[in-house]
Amino acid sequence: PISGVHYLYCLCVARRHGAGIAELGRELPALLAHDSPYAAAIENYQLVPELREVLAACRRLALAP
């Protein structure tokens, strides 16, 4: 979960800055959705609760207009 979230953060930053990767536009919203199994796994990962903060930052970066 830790390395996955850090990779996710890099993808969100890339999308925010206009990276031309088509999959980012299609897949990130689904991964970051509140009902996403991926997001739920991060939110429920008790060993490193700070991952929820990184997930929230990813949502702000990727889903903001």
Side-chain angles (χ1 to χ4, degrees):
I2 296 167
S3 59
V5 170
H6 284 94
Y7 182 66
L8 178 65
Y9 182 79
C10 292
L11 292 174
C12 291
V13 169
R15 180 167 191 248
R16 185 71 180 159
H17 291 282
I21 304 169
E23 288 84 5
L24 291 178
R26 290 192 306 265
E27 302 298 329
L28 276 180
L31 286 173
L32 297 171
H34 290 283
D35 61 348
S36 158
Y38 181 79
I42 294 167
E43 290 169 342
N44 294 322
Y45 190 69
Q46 298 299 317
L47 294 175
V48 185
E50 293 83 4
L51 292 182
R52 289 189 288 275
E53 295 173 29
V54 180
L55 178 64
C58 289
R59 285 177 169 147
R60 287 191 301 273
L61 285 167
L63 302 177

